[in-house]
Amino acid sequence: MNATSCYETLGVVRDATPEAIAAAYQRCLGELRASLNGPNPPPPERLDALRAAYQTLGNPASRQAHDAALSPPTPLSPARAADAGERKPYPFAFTGSGGEYFRIWIVNLFLSLITLGIYSAWAKVRREVFFHRNLVLDNAAFSYHGNPIAILKGRAIAVLLLIALTAAQNAGPLAYGLAVLALLPVAPWLIVRAFRFRAHNTSYRGLRFSFHGSYRQALTAFVGYGLLSAISFGLLFPLFYRQQRTFVLNNLRYGGAQFHCTASNRQFYGIFLKPLGLALIGMFAIGLLAAAGGASALLLPLAFGVGTMTLMLFLLPYIRVRTTNLVWNHVTLDRMGFSSTMAVFAYFGLLAGNLVLLLLTLGLYWPWAQVRLARYRASCMSLLSAEPLDSFVAGESANAAAIGDEISELMDIDIAL
Amino acid sequence: MIAADYFDGRSSRRHAARLELRGDTVMVEGEFGSRSAALAAVEICTGTDRTPSTIRFADGAICEIRDSAAWTAELAGAGIGVGAVASAERHWHWALAALAGAVLIVAAIYAYALPWIARQLAPAIPQAATQAISDAVLQGLDARLLAPSKTSPQRQQEIAARVAALAGPGDRLPPHRLLFRAGPTLGANAFALPGGDVVVLDELLALARRDEDVVAVVAHELGHLRHHHGMRQLLQSAVVSFVVGVYLGDVSTVVAGLTTLLLESRYSREFELEADAYAGRLLLPTPASLEPLIDMLLRLDAAHAKSRAADRGGLFGVGDLLSSHPDTAGRVSALRAMKR
């Protein structure tokens, strides 16, 4: 097959990832099979060509040799030509309004109450559908496909776990410690299931997301690094935090395209340095107060209160904004990138306004607060791409009709995290 | 004909398409070709003013329709509505009705359903479990707040005998065990643990003028045991603090804690009245009748008011507001009414 390149045979671009190549091969095979019974079946050589192309590109050494032999390079398709140019931002937008979400929220809350919580699984689906469908990118909306029955099962398990934990807590510190220890190995399994469910049930432009993290990876990222962070008195917390974020993103796919996050430990430490320093100064000040004694009986709790409030109102939002920007500015999806431009002070203002209005309305402002946050987050995000967003292909769920049932069977548990 | 975007489910390529309903069949056509399916065979999700509607074919292909209003109208023509819940979500009057309904339900659960469920459940909890809880509580109290009693064993036995004599013909006292302790920091007090232990403090004996006074207070504590108040309180407060924690947890733990206390104080007020009523029934046939109980209520109230004034521990008088023995006057008049 020297007349056409292996890339053209499989219909992929020249710097396609191995995953994309594998996906394209599967797709071509599927098409071939489908057309065998059609009016004009393809020549038998087509199958050989596909296999040869996949074997060549599947092996890094032979792929390199193939690339070298391809000279001059394959003529650029229009999309490829654009790749040479600037990447264009495709902004995200959230279109929902607070009033709309209030009505959805309160109607579903009422139904959940009157059905003793059973309807809450359906309520969750309606809420997710609202937030997904209002998220728009390049004039197309995201979709959510969660099955309420699956969510209900997940909730039942969560409630049982909670009851067991509470019972253990009441039975004494030893029982509680044992229960927590017993939960440690279960947690990564739950986390993987939850991310798989969430990713698989999110779609955009008719293609689903998927999550491929393993139990072992989750165990390392959440339990292993969590313990490390704990025994280092939080000094290794930024490592732990980065592990969590990269575990999610590096195992996430849109169709056959893989997300990849390249933010480094160093960059995470850069963000955590300031809050960590502030927290240390705060603890030092409280220590001084305690040492001063005397009037501190009332001052000490006050100082603790101020410290906690500072943490909740400023440090955590600061970390959220900076890490969100860091992570998304270092995420690639095939040849595309993202840009996140959240501003710390704008976010503080948003949170403070939400908090005041929540207190004034006894919590009824909640839906508006959620929508304002979603709108702000979306307005700060863009997808950067040099080509139109048409070139993604489906991953293994391409044959959704065939495998879909099986997958949903596997992923019938959802646990909100 | 409604404009739509067609995605084939295999790639993210957008195909401009037109959508049409013909009877029970939905038709999509565009440059990609055309396809049709029975309405029953596609998944329909109707959007709102702002969100798109979609139809999903069995093979995963979708049609995204921006003009949801036109599409909804077209569907309505074919006899397909948006569903009861979705249509309620679109109207403010339904939303406000749901708000009122939700408030009513929460209030009813708090005032009636939760106490009722706790009353049914508490007697069913095995004695071993309640005893274990009581033992743990007593151990904790013994370690921190309580000291061995200085009351002579002889007086202890006398009081126990008088309490046992309260049982009228055909009436059995709830299983109980009298324990005597000294509680210098707790003041004059007696309390019942759910397992059946009734703890009487030396300070209460000092406040009492006669043994009848002590017996009256113990009768009140037996009322708590008879009605399983300890476990009911435990069950109810577990639910209340969980719900309040979920609702207010993000605001502040202090606010959540105070709200929980405030909500629970209503329950404990009911328990006190119930225990008084039981004690009243036990004491009415005795020679001194209800006078010792009324007397002790007033004197305990005065003693506690004095100690509260003495240490002024509570910030902003919150302690008074949340006291678990409020409204002594009300309880006394309820007892007087019983006497008549």
Side-chain angles (χ1 to χ4, degrees), chain A residues 95 97 100 102-103 106 108 119 126 133-134 138-141 162 205-208 362 389-394, chain B residues 7 9-14 45 48 50-52 54 56 64 85-86 89-90 92 95 98-99 101-102 242 247:
Chain A
T95 57
S97 76
E100 208 178 342
F102 172 80
R103 297 195 301 264
I106 196 69
N108 285 285
Y119 186 80
R126 299 199 71 81
R133 297 220 156 201
N134 275 299
D138 187 32
N139 213 20
L162 200 73
R205 289 171 165 250
L207 295 190
R208 296 221 178 192
L362 298 176
L389 308 183
D390 281 347
S391 61
F392 292 100
V393 293
Chain B
F7 300 98
R10 306 183 135 214
S11 88
S12 61
R13 182 175 298 279
R14 182 203 307 271
C45 184
T48 61
R50 299 156 197 267
T51 57
T54 53
R56 194 147 70 99
E64 204 167 298
V85 177
E89 287 169 355
R90 282 158 206 231
W92 276 104
L99 176 62
F242 176 74
Y247 186 63

Side-chain angles (χ1 to χ4, degrees), chain B:
Chain B
M1 285 281 189
I2 295 169
D5 288 331
Y6 176 77
F7 300 98
D8 62 10
R10 306 183 135 214
S11 88
S12 61
R13 182 175 298 279
R14 182 203 307 271
H15 304 274
R18 291 172 308 281
L19 192 69
E20 200 179 351
L21 265 186
R22 265 188 222 150
D24 285 344
T25 309
V26 58
M27 306 262 300
V28 188
E29 58 179 29
E31 274 169 35
F32 68 94
S34 73
R35 68 183 295 175
S36 62
L39 266 178
V42 295
E43 197 183 298
I44 298 175
C45 184
T46 35
T48 61
D49 306 346
R50 299 156 197 267
T51 57
S53 303
T54 53
I55 54 173
R56 194 147 70 99
F57 294 93
D59 64 355
I62 64 160
C63 238
E64 204 167 298
I65 305 132
R66 281 270 135 203
D67 189 354
S68 282
W71 173 238
T72 311
E74 184 124 358
L75 280 176
I80 296 177
V82 293
V85 177
S87 106
E89 287 169 355
R90 282 158 206 231
H91 295 101
W92 276 104
H93 55 266
W94 282 116
L96 293 178
L99 176 62
V103 170
L104 275 179
I105 291 174
V106 171
I109 289 175
Y110 167 71
Y112 304 108
L114 188 54
W116 185 84
I117 291 169
R119 190 156 53 229
Q120 308 304 312
L121 275 185
I125 295 171
Q127 170 66 18
T130 51
Q131 192 61 53
I133 293 173
S134 301
D135 290 349
V137 171
L138 190 61
Q139 262 175 23
L141 287 173
D142 273 340
R144 285 186 210 120
L145 295 171
L146 300 180
S149 170
K150 295 196 178 69
T151 310
S152 70
Q154 202 183 354
R155 177 128 196 257
Q156 292 185 10
Q157 276 164 17
E158 275 171 31
I159 293 172
R162 278 175 174 273
V163 170
L166 280 177
D171 193 14
R172 287 220 338 260
L173 297 178
H176 65 279
R177 186 163 61 130
L178 277 187
L179 298 173
F180 291 82
R181 295 284 194 276
T185 50
L186 294 178
N189 221 329
F191 48 90
L193 296 172
D197 295 328
V198 176
V199 180
V200 181
L201 300 184
D202 287 356
E203 289 74 8
L204 183 84
L205 297 181
L207 188 76
R209 282 178 305 194
R210 306 158 292 181
D211 281 356
E212 282 88 343
D213 293 353
V214 182
V215 170
V217 174
V218 171
H220 170 88
E221 298 306 326
L222 290 179
H224 284 317
L225 290 180
R226 168 71 185 76
H227 295 292
H228 304 277
H229 286 158
M231 291 315 283
R232 281 162 67 185
Q233 176 78 22
L234 208 65
L235 292 170
Q236 289 173 185
S237 68
V239 174
V240 168
S241 61
F242 176 74
V243 172
V244 171
V246 168
Y247 186 63
L248 288 174
D250 289 344
V251 181
S252 150
T253 44
V254 178
V255 174
L258 286 179
T259 312
T260 307
L261 271 181
L262 198 63
L263 289 172
E264 283 173 4
S265 71
R266 182 195 137 92
Y267 291 145
S268 55
R269 207 152 41 226
E270 277 168 16
F271 290 161
E272 296 310 325
L273 289 175
E274 220 172 16
D276 280 348
Y278 179 81
R281 275 202 304 283
L282 283 185
L283 296 172
L284 260 181
T286 60
S289 186
L290 303 185
E291 275 321 310
L293 184 56
I294 293 171
D295 196 33
M296 280 306 278
L297 275 180
L298 293 171
R299 264 144 29 91
L300 280 167
D301 191 47
H304 288 160
K306 208 188 283 171
S307 73
R308 268 203 301 274
D311 62 34
R312 287 242 168 265
L315 277 174
F316 320 119
V318 169
D320 281 3
L321 188 68
L322 302 177
S323 158
S324 66
H325 282 79
D327 198 16
T328 303
R331 291 173 60 189
V332 168
S333 61
L335 285 170
R336 293 231 159 94
M338 240 183 125
K339 228 170 107 184
R340 261 180 265 120

